[in-house]
Amino acid sequence: MTTSTDATDRAVISELDAARRDFRDELLSAGLLFATGVEGLYGRGADFERVIDSIDARVLSEGRAAHGTAPKTLRFPPVFPRESFEKTDYIASFPNLTGAIRTFDGGNKEHRALLADREAGRDWDSHLESAGTMLVSAACHPSYSTLTGTLPEGGELLDIYGYCFRHEPAIDPARMQAFRMHEYVRVGDPQSAVEHRESWIPRGLQVLEDLGLDATPVIANDPFFGRAGKMLAANQRDENLKTELVVRLYGDLDDGTAVVSCNCHQDHFGETFDIRTADGEVAHSACVGFGMERIALAMFRTHGIDITRWPEHVRSELVA
Amino acid sequence: MTTSTDATDRAVISELDAARRDFRDELLSAGLLFATGVEGLYGRGADFERVIDSIDARVLSEGRAAHGTAPKTLRFPPVFPRESFEKTDYIASFPNLTGAIRTFDGGNKEHRALLADREAGRDWDSHLESAGTMLVSAACHPSYSTLTGTLPEGGELLDIYGYCFRHEPAIDPARMQAFRMHEYVRVGDPQSAVEHRESWIPRGLQVLEDLGLDATPVIANDPFFGRAGKMLAANQRDENLKTELVVRLYGDLDDGTAVVSCNCHQDHFGETFDIRTADGEVAHSACVGFGMERIALAMFRTHGIDITRWPEHVRSELVA
């Protein structure tokens, strides 16, 4: 996204924001999403969830075709230990997206003080303390602490599905603060990690094609924070560590929306979580992440708001 | 739970804690749950999730038998606006269970200061600010803001399923910090709310019986915080607003574990969320909440850790 203040750019951004707002309003009117009063946080209606479950069934069938029964199923709640969060180094790279949990840990007296501030219309956050937990930032993040130590021969392959949180309030319905991600994660030697990432690019494209979506693979980088982040982003591109599968939700108004991401983490998590291969080397890892809400939104944008009028070949992918 | 320090009581509590720890260790060894390093936060394995999905299918079939296609499906992410949280008054009654979200909202300079504190091993929470959101405390809490205004004739009936957070770290696997709750929520006139609560007591018992669980309905109260909370709890009992369906996980070592809760909120949410019936009266509400993880744990406790050896009539309830 451009940060130029050139008048032509401003006009383009404004047209893009109007397109995003119109799409969101359409989703809300149809009862596919429900407003909560905060940008990027929505309730989901029955048809929206049916589409999510249908996408998930297709992702799982691709996973079975690729890996058989090898993947270990792991499902995490949306909250995980700060100690694991620290090892992801997320606070260094994406502090602005972070969600830290605080809670009340006092007695009657401290509670009365909190309620007095609340009664007076003052902020009561100062009465809270860290709960030692964080919101899950990427579905795979809570999994690495379960692998600390030595991996079995051949490494591990994980099937992970769960809610993620990223604090980036936006009009664009495709930029939610809370959304689901289904991942296949490979942890093992460097070659197996690279192969995992590479092999899921065509598989991801096939899944999207079967859902009637026109996606393009794009070499990409994460939105690393701040000045120091610019170098990390450039490195990630140069080393070809991230490929996003992109669908155009708003025509030519932007470069499209990433709905699937294929990433190689090299030895980052192996190092910080102390994960070793059977050979004693620091493990490498890679993952493919399907952004479930974004894929659903791409389908509503491409095939229309009313699922009963979707093309037959797409309807055949819908679960009951 | 007793707070006496009598020696006999201490011994009983200790035996209870040992039973809880042993059960948790059994679940971890079997790969049904995965430890994360924080009490009450677990990853879930494939069989555990299959049981959860099977319970959910049974809950949904009971909902269809009772209400046909009337319930409106609503699914919320685990995070909701602080403005809605304020209207639940949860911070007054259960501050100790609360989860408030904070995030980083500064620039490069502020980020460097955060990282410097982190580098020095100091707490970096002071660099964060409120994100304007809270963890969902009960599955139905995010739904009431969608009903502000005047209800349709006959009120509303909602089917809600989602993750809840309660900060109460514990050895007991049945006391998780993050768990799922499936609710049917009635919002309408006082009589319809009372009827909803009452009618779901036998329905809940039937669901549990079909899952092979021996449950007992018990008039109960919420664990309101502190001294002032004692009165709220007594009121709730006196007015018969809460019935829990209780299963004994640890024999006679405690009074059992509540796995389903049938609650009448009277006009509490109608008042604070400004919800009116078609007649212009303040709406009353009631809900039944199925504690999905607790029901699953009760099944593993009752039928054994290995689902392939469960009784045939229970296995027949398992989804593929």
Side-chain angles (χ1 to χ4, degrees):
Chain A
M1 169 97 58
T2 176
T3 54
S4 160
T5 53
D6 179 90
T8 319
D9 276 0
R10 269 210 307 279
V12 171
I13 288 171
S14 166
E15 200 182 332
L16 175 58
D17 274 346
R20 289 164 166 170
R21 194 192 51 228
D22 291 350
F23 181 37
R24 186 189 60 178
D25 289 349
E26 221 183 336
L27 294 159
L28 294 172
S29 301
L32 292 164
L33 297 181
F34 292 82
T36 68
V38 163
E39 301 286 10
L41 285 183
Y42 304 96
R44 282 85 162 142
D47 279 353
F48 191 88
E49 287 299 297
R50 187 180 169 200
V51 170
I52 291 279
D53 289 345
S54 305
I55 297 163
D56 198 50
R58 184 63 191 86
V59 169
L60 282 169
S61 75
E62 193 69 23
R64 266 192 306 272
H67 304 301
T69 58
K72 185 160 108 182
T73 300
L74 272 176
R75 299 289 178 266
F76 291 95
V79 165
F80 79 127
R82 179 170 292 211
E83 197 180 325
S84 294
F85 175 82
E86 281 285 13
K87 290 179 182 165
T88 66
D89 280 327
Y90 200 83
I91 195 68
S93 298
F94 314 100
N96 51 320
L97 305 181
T98 294
I101 319 290
R102 284 168 88 81
T103 194
F104 176 79
D105 205 23
N108 280 305
K109 193 180 141 201
E110 291 78 13
H111 190 219
R112 277 197 304 275
L114 184 161
L115 293 181
D117 273 349
R118 178 177 182 241
E119 190 72 30
R122 287 190 292 265
D123 180 59
W124 41 263
D125 275 60
S126 59
H127 300 277
L128 307 182
E129 293 165 57
S130 171
T133 49
M134 303 291 294
L135 286 171
V136 170
S137 23
C140 62
H141 282 175
S143 72
Y144 299 109
S145 74
T146 72
L147 302 178
T148 295
T150 301
L151 297 173
E153 196 73 50
E156 275 279 20
L157 183 61
L158 306 176
D159 159 357
I160 304 180
Y161 186 28
Y163 254 104
C164 305
F165 175 84
R166 293 181 188 172
H167 183 256
E168 40 181 356
I171 293 172
D172 187 1
R175 196 167 289 283
M176 292 191 184
Q177 291 199 50
F179 59 92
R180 283 159 285 187
M181 199 189 285
H182 199 142
E183 294 195 38
Y184 286 97
V185 182
R186 190 80 175 83
V187 188
D189 61 31
Q191 198 191 331
S192 69
V194 169
E195 277 174 9
H196 184 72
R197 186 191 101 78
E198 296 294 333
S199 69
W200 271 97
I201 297 171
R203 283 183 203 131
L205 286 169
Q206 186 62 56
V207 168
L208 297 177
E209 187 184 322
D210 290 352
L211 299 173
L213 297 178
D214 185 10
T216 310
V218 175
I219 293 171
N221 59 266
D222 285 308
F224 293 100
F225 181 80
R227 265 198 298 267
K230 288 213 169 66
M231 218 171 60
L232 293 170
N235 269 350
Q236 197 179 32
R237 275 175 177 270
D238 289 349
E239 300 202 36
N240 188 23
L241 299 178
K242 186 178 194 73
T243 298
E244 291 178 337
L245 309 186
V246 168
V247 178
R248 287 184 178 271
L249 299 193
Y250 305 111
D252 291 335
L253 294 177
D254 67 3
D255 294 334
T257 300
V259 300
V260 176
S261 183
C262 305
N263 310 290
C264 188
H265 320 123
Q266 296 179 322
D267 62 357
H268 177 64
F269 295 124
E271 189 75 60
T272 59
F273 285 92
D274 193 17
I275 309 170
R276 309 238 148 215
T277 64
D279 297 345
E281 301 294 321
V282 175
H284 282 228
S285 61
C287 66
V288 56
F290 288 84
M292 304 301 288
E293 273 75 2
R294 284 193 172 178
I295 298 174
L297 292 170
M299 292 177 76
F300 284 111
R301 191 74 178 162
T302 304
H303 308 310
I305 287 296
D306 180 357
I307 62 175
T308 66
R309 301 177 71 176
W310 281 7
E312 193 43 45
H313 70 280
V314 180
R315 282 189 55 77
S316 70
E317 296 282 345
L318 292 177
V319 297
Chain B
M1 171 96 56
T2 177
T3 53
S4 160
T5 53
D6 177 271
T8 320
D9 276 0
R10 271 211 306 278
V12 171
I13 288 169
S14 166
E15 201 182 328
L16 175 58
D17 275 346
R20 289 165 165 168
R21 195 193 50 228
D22 290 350
F23 182 37
R24 186 189 60 179
D25 290 348
E26 222 183 333
L27 294 159
L28 294 172
S29 301
L32 291 165
L33 297 181
F34 292 81
T36 67
V38 163
E39 301 286 10
L41 285 183
Y42 304 96
R44 282 85 161 143
D47 278 353
F48 191 88
E49 286 299 297
R50 187 179 170 202
V51 171
I52 291 280
D53 290 344
S54 305
I55 298 164
D56 198 49
R58 184 62 192 86
V59 170
L60 283 169
S61 75
E62 194 68 22
R64 265 192 306 272
H67 304 302
T69 58
K72 185 161 108 183
T73 300
L74 273 175
R75 301 289 178 263
F76 291 95
V79 165
F80 79 127
R82 179 170 294 210
E83 197 181 325
S84 294
F85 175 82
E86 281 284 13
K87 290 179 182 165
T88 66
D89 281 327
Y90 199 82
I91 194 69
S93 298
F94 314 100
N96 51 320
L97 305 180
T98 294
I101 319 290
R102 284 168 86 81
T103 194
F104 176 79
D105 205 24
N108 280 306
K109 192 179 144 204
E110 292 78 12
H111 190 219
R112 277 197 303 274
L114 183 160
L115 293 181
D117 273 349
R118 178 178 183 241
E119 191 70 30
R122 285 191 294 266
D123 180 58
W124 41 263
D125 275 58
S126 60
H127 300 278
L128 308 182
E129 293 167 56
S130 171
T133 50
M134 303 290 297
L135 287 170
V136 170
S137 23
C140 63
H141 282 176
S143 71
Y144 299 109
S145 74
T146 72
L147 301 179
T148 295
T150 301
L151 296 173
E153 196 73 50
E156 276 279 19
L157 183 60
L158 306 176
D159 159 357
I160 305 180
Y161 186 26
Y163 254 104
C164 305
F165 175 85
R166 293 182 188 171
H167 183 256
E168 41 180 357
I171 293 172
D172 187 1
R175 197 167 289 283
M176 293 190 182
Q177 291 199 50
F179 58 93
R180 282 159 286 187
M181 199 189 285
H182 198 142
E183 294 195 39
Y184 285 97
V185 182
R186 189 81 175 82
V187 188
D189 61 31
Q191 198 191 330
S192 69
V194 169
E195 278 175 8
H196 184 73
R197 186 191 102 77
E198 295 295 332
S199 69
W200 271 97
I201 297 172
R203 282 183 204 131
L205 286 169
Q206 188 61 56
V207 167
L208 297 176
E209 188 185 320
D210 290 351
L211 299 174
L213 298 178
D214 185 10
T216 310
V218 175
I219 293 171
N221 59 264
D222 285 307
F224 293 100
F225 180 81
R227 265 197 299 267
K230 287 212 170 67
M231 218 171 62
L232 292 169
N235 269 349
Q236 197 179 31
R237 276 175 177 269
D238 289 349
E239 300 203 36
N240 188 24
L241 300 178
K242 186 179 194 72
T243 298
E244 291 178 337
L245 309 186
V246 168
V247 178
R248 285 183 179 273
L249 300 193
Y250 305 109
D252 291 334
L253 293 177
D254 67 3
D255 295 333
T257 300
V259 301
V260 176
S261 184
C262 305
N263 311 290
C264 188
H265 320 124
Q266 296 179 320
D267 61 357
H268 178 63
F269 295 124
E271 189 76 60
T272 59
F273 285 93
D274 194 17
I275 309 170
R276 309 237 148 215
T277 64
D279 296 345
E281 301 293 321
V282 176
H284 281 228
S285 61
C287 67
V288 56
F290 288 84
M292 304 300 288
E293 272 75 3
R294 285 193 172 178
I295 298 174
L297 292 170
M299 292 177 76
F300 285 110
R301 191 73 177 162
T302 303
H303 308 310
I305 286 297
D306 180 357
I307 62 175
T308 66
R309 302 178 68 177
W310 281 8
E312 192 43 46
H313 70 281
V314 180
R315 283 189 54 77
S316 71
E317 297 282 345
L318 292 177
V319 296

